[in-house]
Amino acid sequence: MGGLAVGIDIGGTRVKLGWVEQSGRLLTRSEIATPVTATPAAVARAIAAAAGQLSAGDPPGGSPALPDRIGIGCAGLIDRRAGVVRTSPNLPTWREVPLAELVGRELGRPVHLLNDATAFVLAEAQLGAGRGSSPVVGLTLGTGVGGGIAAEGNIMGGARGFAGEIGHMSIAHDGPPCPCGNRGCLELYVGRRGIVAEYLRRAPWEPGTSAYERAGGDRRALSPRLLAAAAQDGETAAREAFAASGRMLGVGLANLANLLDPQLFVIGGGIAQAGDLILEPARRTLRERAMASGGEAVPVRPAALGVDAGLIGAGLHALSSGAAEVSS
Ligand SMILES: [Zn+2]
């Protein structure tokens, strides 16, 4: 069974599962709705059942059994060593949930848990945009901002596995309060709500503007994706909203460049789909602010593995973690 794992990515609305090869290739995949309101034990049962069906459905290469290596990526503060979800924005009622143990008991196999952005960075560093570069710093821009640091393809975990909370790096010491307890965190400016707020600060919000028409006049329909389309239509306020968020992203990247001297930044997540609307202002600010850049700043590249990077990374994590613990 060497070289095969099940990767699982618990998102805000969907749980994605797949068989992952050491090469990063996905052999089979499926999705279930995230049971957001269910108890941890019920979530564990649902995930285990989906993983079991995956193996029974179309086992690749004639392998009949579920692989012994199982990895789960989940948003939030994840104690990787203990396999515990301390808190998660996707499962807001959870506190100190031993998810690895719960799913492991259902499947009769050890389960390796990690932060979903960490899983993304692991996959991108080993097989995606960061392949061949070290260290690689990765960020996922979505509802929140996640991140991770990989050196020689391995994640830098820190003492308890919490390293890489890049979204909660403060870039404005007296900025707005963040639910994490800090103020002026990067994700308040670069995440979904930050970009929408930057737009509403600048836009007249009246019929005739692209964003207004695309949203059908409903502010709640505003999203980075909609604003990116409005920016492509030529709406100035939408372009400026991405530029403002991009500059804040650049401030964060300059801090990271000074701290870590990375060879490459990889940017993924839904908001990264806006491409140069947000990445060009970020690159410019990074060049202006990073100490050692001399005009040659660290390259900032979009992620290469698409929406399944987290799933693949969870599988890769299980493959590297499982070797010492599982004999097959
Ligand atoms: Zn924060």
Side-chain angles (χ1 to χ4, degrees):
M1 287 302 294
L4 257 188
V6 171
I8 300 167
D9 183 14
I10 304 178
T13 55
R14 311 288 293 169
V15 178
K16 293 188 276 188
L17 309 95
W19 288 53
V20 182
E21 276 188 338
Q22 184 78 58
S23 67
R25 193 158 69 102
L26 266 177
L27 299 179
T28 68
R29 76 189 292 293
S30 73
E31 292 187 21
I32 58 171
T34 304
V36 179
T37 56
T39 63
V43 171
R45 276 197 299 276
I47 290 173
Q53 277 170 5
L54 196 63
S55 69
D58 184 17
S63 307
L66 199 64
D68 286 328
R69 319 276 167 83
I70 315 275
I72 300 181
C74 183
L77 205 52
I78 306 297
D79 186 333
R80 191 143 47 105
R81 304 243 158 87
V84 168
V85 178
R86 290 208 168 173
T87 59
S88 173
N90 294 344
L91 299 150
T93 60
W94 284 23
R95 297 285 179 278
E96 305 288 341
V97 170
L99 186 64
E101 188 190 324
L102 291 173
V103 178
R105 210 182 293 151
E106 295 288 332
L107 290 172
R109 288 161 169 75
V111 169
H112 304 277
L113 182 70
L114 80 171
N115 173 276
D116 63 342
T118 307
F120 158 86
V121 176
L122 188 62
E124 286 289 342
Q126 288 189 5
L127 305 165
R131 190 173 191 159
S133 300
S134 179
V136 172
V137 177
L139 286 83
T140 58
L141 314 183
T143 304
V145 173
I149 304 144
E152 308 295 337
N154 296 310
I155 290 294
M156 201 198 99
R160 292 159 300 169
F162 297 152
E165 285 289 350
I166 293 171
H168 295 287
M169 175 172 59
S170 180
I171 56 168
H173 80 279
D174 55 354
C178 177
C180 78
N182 203 344
R183 301 186 79 97
C185 291
L186 181 66
E187 81 170 33
L188 298 176
Y189 303 96
V190 180
R192 183 183 197 280
R193 284 214 319 244
I195 291 175
V196 170
E198 291 286 354
Y199 172 76
L200 288 171
R201 238 196 305 284
R202 293 171 166 79
W205 195 244
E206 60 191 21
T209 63
S210 170
Y212 185 96
E213 299 299 335
R214 284 178 177 273
D218 181 1
R219 274 173 205 243
R220 289 167 305 179
L222 284 176
S223 67
R225 179 198 294 258
L226 186 149
L227 291 173
Q232 304 294 358
D233 289 342
E235 187 179 346
T236 306
R239 294 194 76 86
E240 286 177 351
F242 280 106
S245 282
R247 287 192 294 273
M248 298 305 257
L249 176 59
V251 172
L253 296 183
N255 288 341
L256 292 163
N258 290 346
L259 188 66
L260 297 166
D261 187 21
Q263 195 172 357
L264 182 72
F265 288 111
V266 179
I267 314 290
I271 293 172
Q273 306 285 321
D276 284 346
L277 280 172
I278 189 162
L279 297 185
E280 262 317 301
R283 291 184 182 111
R284 209 160 36 239
T285 303
L286 172 61
R287 259 195 315 274
E288 288 163 7
R289 293 194 174 213
M291 282 174 67
S293 75
E296 287 288 322
V298 183
V300 179
R301 296 219 187 107
L305 295 177
V307 295
D308 287 325
L311 181 61
I312 294 167
L316 294 177
H317 175 59
L319 285 169
S320 61
S321 312
E325 295 160 51
V326 177
S327 57
S328 53

